[in-house]
Amino acid sequence: MATVARRPFALFKNLNAKIAAIPMMLTAVVIFIGCTAWTVIYSFTDSRLLPSENFVGLAQYDRLFGTTRWNVAIINLLIYGSLSLIFSFVIGFLLATLLDQKIRFENTFRTIFLYPFALSFIVTGLVWQWILDPGLGLPKFLGELGLPGGDFALLGNKHTVIYALVLAGLWQGTGLVMVLMLAGLRGIDSEIWKAAKVDGIPAWRTYIFIVIPMMRGVFVTTLVIVASGIVRVYDLVVAMTQGGPGFASEVPAKYVYDLMFQRGNIAQGLAASTVMLVTVFIIIVPWALMEFRQKRK
């Protein structure tokens, strides 16, 4: 009588790969989860220069949201984030659409648009600090030519400095959005374009009602990548403005660094870090759940 081969338990499938992944998993558990738990726990203490186990409940969070500097940082992050998302998606998609037309020198243009993303935010911040310097950069050049804008100082005005940061961030990050969108456009079946042309559908309607809905996964992935980077923005602000003038361009990441390493207020910095962590989770968790459900289907 022939014996029927039993299928291995799911736990033992790809056993070698799972064993090889154990060091990475332990590292993730100890460093990421452990440090995250330490951050959250000690944000409920009165730790100053050194960690303390004196539990004070939500006192640090009450102080945090009662601090003008932190509230300004949150408002700046909302302005910077919303403008960066909107303009990077619009400009990135338009550039991807143009490059998708099989134009000449496509590789050259793609490299030019993507090149700023290869630079660090420190370099980007310094470059744009020079460009926007009234005594050295673009305002001085416009003034010497007698053109309007010679006396316009984005970095020196507390009401406009955040828009200077948005401009620098867009210059660096839009190329990445363009590449991701271009990859999504190249993944669209050519038969769809042919069918749309046969039916006489204008190109703009094809993009809006057919192509963009089909690129939903690309848009969501790009949103997660860009939004998580926005929440953590730090070095661009340090390089361009140091949070100034005053604290008009303060952002949460810089606030955390200053509280923990310059003012010796660990608990307050950890409370701010926890708020940032929750914000990132709000962005990432829905995306992860959606991707998991799609794979199960």
Side-chain angles (χ1 to χ4, degrees):
M1 184 176 180
T3 58
V4 179
R6 295 183 178 180
R7 297 180 61 184
F9 291 108
L11 179 64
F12 297 106
K13 289 183 178 179
N14 300 322
L15 185 60
N16 292 336
K18 291 178 179 178
I19 293 175
I22 288 177
M24 180 190 68
M25 294 171 62
L26 291 176
T27 302
V29 170
V30 173
I31 295 179
F32 178 74
I33 299 179
C35 292
T36 300
W38 188 89
T39 298
V40 175
I41 291 171
Y42 278 88
S43 69
F44 295 101
T45 67
D46 62 352
S47 302
R48 297 289 296 183
L49 187 60
L50 295 174
S52 169
E53 296 182 358
N54 185 23
F55 184 78
V56 294
L58 297 174
Q60 297 294 348
Y61 293 91
D62 290 337
R63 284 188 56 201
L64 180 66
F65 287 99
T67 304
T68 303
R69 184 179 173 188
W70 171 256
N71 292 328
V72 169
I74 293 296
I75 293 172
N76 285 338
L77 185 64
L78 291 175
I79 296 173
Y80 177 86
S82 57
L83 293 179
S84 295
L85 283 174
I86 292 171
F87 285 104
S88 64
F89 269 66
V90 172
I91 298 173
F93 185 78
L94 291 177
L95 291 176
T97 303
L98 293 175
L99 291 181
D100 194 42
Q101 307 305 312
K102 307 297 190 297
I103 62 174
R104 295 182 62 185
F105 308 111
E106 176 189 332
N107 291 336
T108 302
F109 285 115
R110 188 168 56 202
T111 302
I112 292 173
F113 292 141
L114 188 60
Y115 176 75
F117 185 72
L119 303 176
S120 71
F121 271 118
I122 295 293
V123 175
T124 298
L126 292 175
V127 168
W128 278 92
Q129 185 186 60
W130 297 333
I131 291 174
L132 299 176
D133 189 336
L136 179 67
L138 185 61
K140 181 181 179 182
F141 177 73
L142 294 175
E144 291 177 349
L145 294 178
L147 298 175
D151 57 348
F152 193 59
L154 283 176
L155 295 177
N157 189 326
K158 67 178 182 179
H159 300 296
T160 60
V161 63
I162 189 64
Y163 303 108
L165 292 173
V166 172
L167 187 62
L170 286 175
W171 180 78
Q172 177 162 12
T174 302
L176 173 65
V177 177
M178 179 205 70
V179 170
L180 294 173
M181 296 296 177
L182 183 60
L185 289 173
R186 293 286 165 85
I188 302 295
D189 192 347
S190 60
E191 296 298 324
I192 294 176
W193 295 102
K194 294 178 182 178
K197 290 181 180 179
V198 170
D199 293 338
I201 302 175
W204 66 271
R205 291 177 64 91
T206 304
Y207 277 107
I208 294 175
F209 297 106
I210 299 176
V211 174
I212 291 179
M214 294 181 65
M215 292 175 58
R216 182 173 65 93
V218 175
F219 275 92
V220 173
T221 301
T222 306
L223 174 65
V224 171
I225 294 173
V226 175
S228 60
I230 288 172
V231 173
R232 295 179 286 105
V233 65
Y234 168 78
D235 33 9
L236 178 65
V237 177
V238 172
M240 282 189 69
T241 66
Q242 286 290 334
F247 50 80
S249 59
E250 187 75 5
V251 290
K254 185 177 180 299
Y255 180 88
V256 170
Y257 179 86
D258 290 347
L259 262 291
M260 294 187 66
F261 299 104
Q262 293 186 3
R263 299 190 179 185
N265 193 339
I266 292 179
Q268 186 75 182
L270 293 179
S273 299
T274 303
V275 174
M276 293 178 61
L277 179 66
V278 171
T279 305
V280 173
F281 279 169
I282 291 173
I283 296 171
I284 293 179
V285 169
W287 168 77
L289 291 175
M290 185 181 68
E291 291 293 319
F292 178 73
R293 288 174 181 173
Q294 286 183 347
K295 289 180 179 180
R296 290 189 66 180
K297 292 179 181 180

